[in-house]
Structures are given as C-alpha cells and as structure tokens.
Amino acid sequence: MAGLRGRVRLAALYAGGFLGPFGGAMTSSVLPEVGADFGVSAGSAAATLTGYLVPFALLMLVSGTLGERWGARRTVRIAYGGYVVASLLCAVAWSFPVLMGGRALQGAANAFTTPLLLAAIAAVTPQARLGRALGVFASMQAAGQTSAPLLGGLAAEASWRWAFVGAAVVAGALAVAGLPADPPRGGDRPGLRSAWRPRTLRLAAVGFVGWGCLGGVSFLVALRLGDSFALGAGQRGLVLTGFGLVGIVTARLTGWLIDRVGARWCVLTGAVVGGVLLVGVGVLPSVVAVGALWAAAGAFSQAVIVGLNALVLSAGGNRGGSVSVVQSLRFLGGAVSPVAFVPLYHLDPVGAFLVPAGLVLAVPPVLLLRRGRADAPSPASPGPPRPRRGGDRPGR
C-alpha cells in the first residue's frame, strides 16, 4: 500500500506540471464567448490571460523560498486548495471583475506550486537522471500549454465555465495525492537572499532573454503568417501549434542529452540554433518553411528551459527559491516581449525578428560562459561533450 501511495504521489508530482500552463492559457480560445457573457469585447476579455500571468510571475520571485521555509508538501497542498477555490470562483463568476479576481488568484496559487514541484523532483531524483526527470516535467508543461486552447474550446461548446470546473477537479485530485515527503533540511530556514545569488541571477537573465526572444514571440509569427501569407485564424493556429507539439515530443530527449553532455552545453546549443531558426522564420518566403522552422524552434526552446532548470537545481542550497527566481524572470520575459516587439514589427517586420534573434544569439553565451569560482561546473553542467572512457559516466 505504501508503495502504491508513493507511486501515486510521484505521478502527481509530474502531473502538476500540466495544470499551471493549462490554467494560464485556458481562456485563449474562448475570448469571444467570455466577452459575450459579460458584455465586453474579445480584446478586453484577453485581460484574463494577463490577469493570470502577472501575479504568477511576480509572486514566483519569492514563492519558492517561502515554500521551502513553510515546507514544500504543505505549501503545495494549500496552493492546490487555493487553485480549486479560484477555479470555482471563475466558473460561477457573475461579473467580469469577479472573473478577473478568480484568474489572479489562480495565478497566485500556481506560483506556489511550479517551483516547489521542480525542487521536489530534484530532491527525489538521482543526479545522473535529473535531466531526464526535468524533461518529463517539461513535456507535461508543454502538453498543458498546447492542449489548453483545444480543451477550452471544446468545453465552450456547452459553456466556457466547464473548463474551470475541470481545472478545479484536477487540482483537488492533486491536493489529495500530495507530494513525496519533504527532504531533510538542516540549519536555519532559507532566507530570500539565498535565492538571489549572482549565479542564479545570471541564469534568470538567460531565461528572461531565452523565453522572451524565442518561445515568447509566437505573436510575431502569427502577425507574419497573416500579413505575408494571408492565413486565417485557424490556419495560423495550426502552424503555431507545431512549436508546442515538437516541444512535447522532444522534451524527454532533451533531458537525456542534458544527462549525457551537460545542461550548460544544451542551453547554449538551444539558444544559438533557436536564434538562427528565428531568423529563418522572419525572412523566408515559404509558409511551409516558416512552419517547419517554427516547429523545430520548439525543440531548441525546450533545450534552453530544461537546461536552465537543471543548472539551477543541481547547485543545491535553496533549490525552490532559486528555481522560482529563474522561472519568474522567464515568464516576465514572455510578458514584456509583446510590448517590446510589436511596435518594432509595425516599423520593420524583418527587424522585429532579427532583434530578438540577435539577443538570444548573444546574451546566453555571454552570461553562461562567465564562470567564476562560485560557478564551478556541477555534475549536471560539465560544459561541451568530451570523449568518454570506460567508467567515465554521469554520476560517477
């Protein structure tokens, strides 16, 4: 019985990766229906996306450390309970401000799950298999992000409110399942400063640029597909989905490569190749080529994100707080990206792709190759691959 309970909790640990991205994007395909119910425009209803993302990203600056102080298992269970309440509030919302309040509470609750789930994975996974474990978690996150528009749209055939009821049921089941026991912790409880070390801040800056200039520019791709190739909404959505689908398929392979050649090397490769692919997306005259390159970029975006998680979680110390800071800056990069690049697109459509491509090509190598004594390579980030001799395997 204890073994079965342990397996259920381990499965719930990974399933939690699905819920957060799904909750964030679940209204993206039903904005007209949401707006019609409350007498607002679809553009105004799009605030339900921002209303989730902003508290989620901002609270993650501190949520990981607070969760480590309070105990990860207890914090995650309380957060899931809050997510249930917030989702039900959205489902029964009688006005648009009430819906917005529910969405903000959803984002706040999820801020206290994602970093602690990642830290828990690192605590229960042998170092030599950490990349693979994080790859599985990333595939669950990509599945949540990719399936949210589809499942939300299907629910809206009856009522968009049913999507929130489903999210509440899933969060309740995860709260009941719980997590593996908190890892033993000696000494004082971690402070907020322990999550803001220079090494962590450099990794967070890479996440800010890597996601904001690669995974977070799908809106630019959508604009180009409409302006250059006259694709309709459904066709644009189909092309954009390729990014997430390839990310789901390749996330586990990415994790395996991290265990073999090192997280730092995978982040650098993902950033450089992703930047080159983004240039092609912005300049090639073929819609097929643009779709293929954008889908391929999904794989290399995963290399950046999963590699960053492996780098920060392999360092020990305040894992929850450190990965929380990195994840917060990652999502803040995605939030800033439209503000920065949409005006540039209207001035120069090609330049709007070349600028983020240049940033993702330049910034991660500069930050990741600056290693002082405090940044000595960890087993999960040994740098470029080297020939292996007998017995020279990860974890030994």
Side-chain angles (χ1 to χ4, degrees):
M1 188 67 177
L4 176 60
R5 187 181 301 115
R7 288 193 292 272
V8 169
R9 286 176 173 171
L10 188 62
L13 185 61
Y14 289 98
F18 178 93
L19 185 63
F22 177 83
M26 63 194 302
T27 62
S28 60
S29 62
V30 296
L31 297 178
E33 290 79 6
V34 172
D37 267 13
F38 296 112
V40 300
S41 68
S44 297
T48 58
L49 301 172
T50 305
Y52 180 101
L53 181 62
V54 171
F56 170 61
L58 291 179
L59 276 175
M60 271 208 298
L61 290 170
V62 298
S63 62
T65 298
L66 293 177
E68 292 277 8
R69 292 170 67 89
W70 299 335
R73 176 188 282 184
R74 177 174 60 179
T75 301
V76 168
R77 272 188 157 159
I78 292 173
Y80 279 142
Y83 199 97
V84 171
V85 173
S87 299
L88 293 177
L89 180 62
C90 292
V92 301
W94 53 91
S95 68
F96 189 66
V98 172
L99 176 63
M100 287 296 297
R103 290 291 283 166
L105 290 175
Q106 274 190 314
N110 189 43
F112 286 89
T113 62
T114 299
L116 296 175
L117 294 175
L118 286 165
I121 288 173
V124 301
T125 304
Q127 182 69 37
R129 297 182 60 85
L130 179 60
R132 275 163 280 192
L134 294 176
V136 173
F137 188 84
S139 69
M140 295 298 294
Q141 289 187 305
Q145 180 75 32
T146 303
S147 65
L150 173 62
L151 296 179
L154 291 175
E157 294 296 327
S159 171
W160 58 266
R161 298 174 185 269
W162 283 110
F164 288 99
V165 174
V169 171
V170 173
L174 292 173
V176 171
L179 297 180
D182 291 331
R185 184 180 63 228
D188 297 331
R189 294 183 300 175
L192 293 176
R193 288 185 179 180
S194 64
W196 291 79
R197 295 176 298 173
R199 178 180 185 273
T200 301
L201 293 179
R202 284 201 292 275
L203 295 178
V206 173
F208 181 88
V209 173
W211 188 250
C213 295
L214 188 56
V217 296
S218 59
F219 61 92
L220 283 182
V221 182
L223 289 172
R224 180 160 195 246
L225 291 172
D227 293 342
S228 300
F229 306 108
L231 297 190
Q235 294 169 312
R236 294 196 304 269
L238 182 62
V239 174
L240 293 177
T241 300
F243 183 95
L245 291 176
V246 172
I248 294 170
V249 172
T250 60
R252 296 185 68 177
L253 174 62
T254 297
W256 179 84
L257 287 172
I258 287 171
D259 290 333
R260 296 293 296 173
V261 305
R264 192 182 308 273
W265 184 247
C266 283
V267 174
L268 289 170
T269 302
V272 171
V273 178
V276 172
L277 292 174
L278 188 59
V279 171
V281 169
V283 302
L284 290 181
S286 165
V287 67
V288 174
V290 167
L293 292 184
W294 181 242
F300 292 95
S301 177
Q302 285 285 27
V304 173
I305 300 307
V306 180
L308 284 174
N309 287 338
L311 281 170
V312 70
L313 290 169
S314 65
N318 182 7
R319 284 171 164 169
S322 298
V323 78
S324 183
V325 171
V326 172
Q327 289 291 310
S328 175
L329 267 292
R330 167 196 170 185
F331 286 105
L332 285 174
V336 169
S337 186
V339 178
F341 298 130
V342 167
L344 180 58
Y345 178 85
H346 291 311
L347 291 174
D348 182 0
V350 173
F353 284 90
L354 296 182
V355 170
L359 289 172
V360 82
L361 282 167
V363 174
V366 170
L367 293 177
L368 289 177
L369 295 177
R370 284 185 56 199
R371 294 191 298 183
R373 292 180 180 177
D375 291 346
S378 65
S381 56
R386 57 186 177 85
R388 299 192 183 278
R389 294 182 289 273
D392 183 16
R393 295 173 182 168
R396 292 199 176 184

